[in-house]
C-alpha cells in the first residue's frame, strides 16, 4: 500500500530527488490561517484569503506565498460518540478547496497533540472535547505526576496524554483519525502536486512539567527499553529500538545510576529531578526517547497514509526547558526528513543555535511552523526572515493571518501590540526574495569538497586554556571521530585562506560534530560551544548563534550533535576561525568532531540536482549473506549502492543479512570502488522503509575495514556500542583518518533486533563512501 502511493507520487514528480522534494529550491511563506470552516460563506473566505494575497504579495518563482491550517481530527473534525468519533473530512475538504481555487500552496498542521482542542481566537467554530474527555477518563491514558494526579486539562493546550506505547486506547483513536485525515490530504496532493508543501506534526509534543510522566505504563516501558525486553525484545513490535547498550541485570542499572535496587520490579523513577545526577539523567534520556518514539510513530502513521517522509516536519520548541518539557533538539528532527520548530519573540541571533544543528541533522530540510518576532522594530522583524532564509529554512509559517474584529498580539496586521510590523516585513521579504532560489543546501553527510581540515591543521593553530590536543579517536559512544579536544574555557584559532568560488551558486560550509567525553560532567552544568569568523577588519561574526548548549545528559547518552554553518560570505578572504567553549569548567572535556570547511562542487546548481562524490554509488557490493526475502521482501545486496536512501522506493529497501538466533554473530557487506582511492568517511543509512523500524537492524558493534586487494584488511573505525538514537532514514556518518582503499567492508559483530522478528540481522538501506 505504501509503495504504490509512493510510486504515484514519484509519477507525479514529487520524489524526483533522493532527499527533499522536487521543489527543494523554493522557500515557502505559509501564514497560519485557522479561520475557515465549511459552514462559512465560501465567497467570504475567498475574499479573506484573496485579501491576504493582496496585503502580503505572492512572491515569485522561488519564494512563494501560501497558507497553513490545522487538521483537528481529535476534536472539531470528528463525528461524535454515536459514530465512535470517526474523522469528519468536511472542514478539511472545504479548506483544501479554497487552496485549489486560489492556487495557494498549503501545509497542514496535524494538530492533534496537547493542543488537540485548541481554539485560536480567530476560530469561529465550536469545539468538541467529547473524544478527548472520554479518553482521559480511561485508566492510564494521561500524563500523571509522581503523586498520581492526572495532568490532563480539558482545554487550551493541556491535552497531556501519556507518550507510552502502552497507551493503546489513546493511540488507536489517534492513529485511526490521523490516518483518515492524512489519506484525504494525500489524495488531494496527488491531484494538486504543486500546491502540497507538507505536514507538520502535532505542535509541542512535550511533557506537562518536570514531574511527568510517572504513569505506570511509562515506567513499565522504560524498564523494557533499558533491558531490551517486552516491546523492545525479540518478537516485540519495536525490537531493535531498545537502549544501546542494554542494561540487562538490575545491577547494570544500579551501577549506571548509582542506585541499589534489589530487583527490576523495585526500580522506580527519580522524583524530583536532580540535574546532572546519573539517575535523573538516565530517566531524562528515556523521557526524551519516549517523545522521539511518539513523533516517529506519528510520522510512520502519516507515511502509511500516503505522505512521503520528506514532506513531514517536526513542530517542537527545542531547548526551551530541557528538564521540564524534555524538548531536546533531537525531538525536533525525529520526523526525518524534516525538522521543525516554533519561535516567538526570538532575536535573529537566537536562530543559529537551533538552525545549524537542524541543517546538519538527517536531511537538511527544516522549517518554522509558528513564527512571530512580536516586535515593532522593522529591522528586527525583517532580519528574522533573512536570517532564517540564509540558515536554509525551507518553510516559514508566520502566525497568524486573522480576519476578525478583535485581533490578538500574534496578528500579522492590526496587532494590538505590534500593529502591521510583521505583515509589512513579510510583504517586503516576498517582494525582495521572490525570484531568488533557495541557497544550495548540501546534505550534511556530503557537504562537498573539503577545503580546510581543522584537525589536520591543529599544529598551526594558536590556542589558550589547558590541554587542548588532538585525539585520534573520540570517546563519545566509542565512536571514532577525528577530534579536537579542548577543556571547557579553551580557545583555538586558525588562520585560513578560504578559496574564491567559481560559480555564484556554490557555497562554503563549516561542519563539526559536537560532543563531550564519556563520564565527564558529573558535576552538572552545561557547556556552550561557539565558532566564529573574524575578517581582516577585525569584525567577528558568531556562527552558532548564541552558542550550542550541550546538556549534561549527552555524556550519559554518548551523543554527538552535528552542526552545519554557511560561511560563503568570506569566500576568497583570509580569516581567523575560532573554536571556543564556555561553561562550568568542572564539566571537563569538550570535543570538536571532524571539524572542517567544505565547498559545494562546481556544477551543482540546484538542490534537486546536488552534485556528489559518493565513491560507492553504483559500484558492486557483496556480502556474507543476502536474504532477499527478509522482513517481507525488497532486499538485495545490489540495492545497497543504488543511490536510493529512502527505503521502499520502487520496492527496494536495501540489504539484509540472514537471521541469527543470537546477537553475537558476524555478518559483513563490502563494496569494490573499482580502484584504490582516498577514503575518510562512510555513511550508513539505517532501514527507512517503515519509521517504526528506527534503529532496527542497525548493528550495535561493527568495524569498518579498508583494503587495496580484498585480502589484507586494515581497520579504519571500530564501533563498540553504536546506535543510542538511530532514527529511520537518518544518515549515520562515520569519519576516520584518511586512508587508501579500493574495498570497503563493514563487519558487524553484534547484531540488532528487527521489529516483530525473534532473530537478529544487519540491515542497511544504503552504504556510501567519501574521501
Ligand atoms: C477581511 O475580510 C474582508 C472580506 O470579508 C476583506 O474585505 C478585508 O479586506 C479583510 N481584512 C483583512 C485585514 O484581512
Ligand atoms: C518564472 O517562471 C516562469 C515559468 O517557468 C518563467 O517564464 C519566468 O521567466 C520565471 N521568472 C523569473 C524571474 O525567473
Ligand atoms: C461532518 O461535519 C459537518 C460539518 O460540521 C456536518 O455538517 C456533518 O453532519 C458531519 N457528518 C457527520 C456524519 O456527522
Ligand atoms: C458554524 O458551525 C459552528 C458549529 O459547528 C457554529 O458555532 C458557527 O456559528 C457556525 N458558523 C456559521 C457562520 O454559521
Ligand atoms: C468521566 O468520568 C466521570 C466520573 O466517572 C463521569 O462523570 C463523566 O461523565 C465521564 N466523562 C466522559 C466524557 O466519559
Ligand atoms: C471505536 O474506535 C476505536 C479506535 O479505532 C476502536 O478501538 C474501537 O474498537 C471502536 N469501538 C467500536 C464499538 O467500534
Ligand atoms: C508488530 O506487532 C504489533 C503487535 O502485535 C502489531 O500491532 C504491528 O502491526 C506489527 N508491526 C509490523 C510492522 O508488523
Ligand atoms: C604549518 O605552517 C608551516 C609554516 O607556515 C607550514 O610549512 C606547514 O605546512 C603548516 N602545517 C600544516 C599542517 O598546514
Ligand atoms: C583510542 O585511543 C586510545 C589511546 O588514546 C587507545 O587506547 C584506544 O585503543 C583507541 N581506540 C580505538 C577504537 O582505536
Amino acid at each position: 500500500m505504501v509503495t504504490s502511493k509512493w510510486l504515484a507520487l514519484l509519477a507525479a514528480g514529487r520524489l524526483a530527488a533522493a532527499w527533499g522534494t522536487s521543489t527543494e529550491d523554493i522557500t515557502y511563506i505559509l501564514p497560519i490561517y485557522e479561520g475557515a470552516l465549511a459552514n462559512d460563506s465560501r465567497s467570504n473566505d475567498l475574499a479573506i484569503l484573496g485579501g491576504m494575497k493582496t496585503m502580503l504579495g505572492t512572491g515569485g518563482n522561488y519564494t512563494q506565498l501560501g497558507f497553513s491550517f490545522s487538521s483537528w481530527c481529535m476534536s472539531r473534525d470528528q463525528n461524535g460518540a454515536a459514530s465512535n468519533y470517526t474523522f469528519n473530512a468536511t472542514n478539511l475538504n472545504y479548506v483544501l478547496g479554497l487552496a485549489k481555487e486560489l492556487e495557494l500552496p498549503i501545509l497542514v498542521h496535524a494538530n492533534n497533540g496537547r493542543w488537540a482542542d485548541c481554539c485560536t481566537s480567530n476560530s469561529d467554530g465550536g469545539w468538541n472535547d467529547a473524544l478527548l474527555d472520554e479518553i482521559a477518563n480511561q485508566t492510564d491514558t494521561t500524563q500523571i505526576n509522581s503523586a498520581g494526579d492526572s495532568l490532563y486539562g480539558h482545554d487550551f493546550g493541556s491535552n497531556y496524554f501519556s507518550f507510552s506505547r502502552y497507551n493503546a486506547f489513546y493511540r488507536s483513536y489517534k492513529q485511526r483519525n490521523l490516518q483518515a485525515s492524512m489519506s484525504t490530504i494525500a489524495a488531494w496532493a496527488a491531484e494538486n502536486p504543486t500546491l502540497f508543501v507538507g505536514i507538520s506534526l502535532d505542535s509541542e509534543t512535550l511533557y506537562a512539567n518536570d514531574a511527568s510522566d510517572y504513569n505506570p505504563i511509562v515506567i513499565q516501558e522504560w524498564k523494557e527499553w533499558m533491558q531490551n525486553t517486552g516491546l523492545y525484545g525479540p518478537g516485540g513490535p519495536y525490537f531493535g529500538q531498545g537502549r544501546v547498550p542494554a542494561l540487562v541485570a538490575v545491577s547494570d542499572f544500579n551501577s549506571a545510576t548509582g542506585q541499589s535496587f534489589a530487583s527490576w520490579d523495585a526500580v522506580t523513577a527519580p522524583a524530583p529531578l536532580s540535574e546532572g545526577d546519573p539517575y535523573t539523567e538516565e530517566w531524562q534520556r528515556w523521557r526524551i526517547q519516549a517523545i522521539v518514539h511518539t513523533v516517529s510513530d506519528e510520522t510512520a502513521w502519516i507515511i502509511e497514509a500516503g505522505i512521503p517522509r520528506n514532506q513531514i516536519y517536526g513542530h517542537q520548541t527545542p531547548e526551551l526547558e530541557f528538564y521540564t518539557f524534555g524538548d531536546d533538539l533531537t525531538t525536533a528532527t525525529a520526523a526525518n526528513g524534516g525538522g521543525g520548530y516554533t519561535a516567538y519573540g526570538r532575536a535573529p541571533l537566537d536562530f543559529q543555535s537551533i538552525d545549524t544543528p537542524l541543517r546538519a541533522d538527517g536531511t537538511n530540510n527544516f522549517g518554522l511552523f509558528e513564527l512571530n518576532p512580536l516586535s515593532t522594530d522593522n529591522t528586527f522583524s525583517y532580519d528574522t526572515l533573512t536570517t532564517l532564509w540564509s540558515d536554509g529554512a525551507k518553510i516559514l509559517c508566520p502566525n497568524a493571518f486573522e480576519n476578525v474584529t478583535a485581533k490578538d498580539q500574534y496578528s500579522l496586521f492590526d496587532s494590538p501590540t505590534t500593529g502591521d510590523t510583521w505583515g509589512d516585513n513579510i510583504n517586503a521579504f516576498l517582494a525582495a526574495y521572490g525570484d531568488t532560489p533557495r541557497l544550495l543546501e548540501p546534505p550534511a553527510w556530503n557537504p562537498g569538497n573539503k577545503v580546510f581540515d581543522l584537525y589536520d591543521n591543529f599544529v598551526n593553530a594558536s590556542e589558550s586554556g589547558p590541554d587542548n590536543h588532538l585525539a585520534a579517536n573520540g570517546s563519545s559512544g566509542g565512536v571514532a571521530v577525528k577530534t579536537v579536544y579542548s577543556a571547557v574555557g579553551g580557545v583555538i584559532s586558525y588562520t585560513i585562506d578560504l578559496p574564491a568560488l567559481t560559480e555564484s551558486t556554490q557555497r562554503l560550509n563549516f561542519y563539526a560534530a559536537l560532543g563531550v567525553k564519556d563520564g565527564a560532567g558529573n558535576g552538572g552544568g552545561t557547556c556552550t560551544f561557539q565558532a566564529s569568523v573574524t575578517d581582516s577588519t577585525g569584525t567577528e561574526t558568531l556562527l552558532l548563534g548564541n552558542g550550542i548548549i550541550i546538556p549534561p545528559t549527552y555524556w550519559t547518552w554518548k551523543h554527538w550533535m552535528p552542526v552545519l554553518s554557511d560561511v560563503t560570505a568570506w569566500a576568497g578572504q583570509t580569516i581567523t576561525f575560532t573554536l571556543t567553549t564556555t561553561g562550568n569548567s568542572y564539566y571537563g572535556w569538550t570535543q570538536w568532531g571532524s571539524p572542517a570547511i567544505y565547498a559545494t562542487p562546481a556544477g551543482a546548481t540546484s538542490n534537486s540536482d546536488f552534485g556528489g562524490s559518493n565513491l560507492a554509488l553504483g559500484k558492486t557490493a557483496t556480502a556474507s549473506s543476502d536474504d532477499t526475502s527478509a522482513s517481507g521482501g525488497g532486499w538485495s545486496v545490489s540495492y545497497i549502492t543504488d543511490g536510493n536512501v529512502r527505503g521502499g522506493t520502487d520496492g527496494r529497501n536495501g540489504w539484509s543479512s540472514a537471521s541469527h538466533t543470537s546477537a553475537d554473530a558476524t555478518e559483513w557487506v563490502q563494496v569494490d570502488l573499482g580502484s584504490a582511492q582516498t577514503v575518510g568517511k562512510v555513511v550508513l543509512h539505517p532501514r527507512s522503509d517503515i519509521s517504526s523500524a528506527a534503529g532496527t537492524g542497525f548493528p550495535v558493534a561493527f568495524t569498518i575495514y579498508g583494503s587495496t586487494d580484498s585480502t589484507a584488511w586494515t581497520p579504519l573505525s571500530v564501533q563498540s556500542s553504536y546506535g543510542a538514537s538511530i532514527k529511520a532514514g537518518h544518515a549515520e556518518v562515520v569519519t576516520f583518518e584518511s586512508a587508501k582503499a579500493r574495498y570497503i567492508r563493514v563487519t558487524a559483530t553484534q547484531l540488532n533486533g528487527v521489529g516483530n522478528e525473534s532473530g537478529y540481522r544487519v540491515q542497511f538501506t544504503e552504504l556510501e563512501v567519501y574521501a
Side-chain angles (χ1 to χ4, degrees), residues 84 172-173 176:
N84 195 16
S172 71
Y173 281 95
R176 185 196 66 187

Side-chain angles (χ1 to χ4, degrees), residues 4-16 186 189-190 196 306-308 311:
S4 64
K5 279 174 182 158
W6 274 53
L7 288 175
L9 287 155
L10 254 180
R14 299 300 295 169
L15 291 176
F196 178 65
I307 309 282
Q311 287 176 280

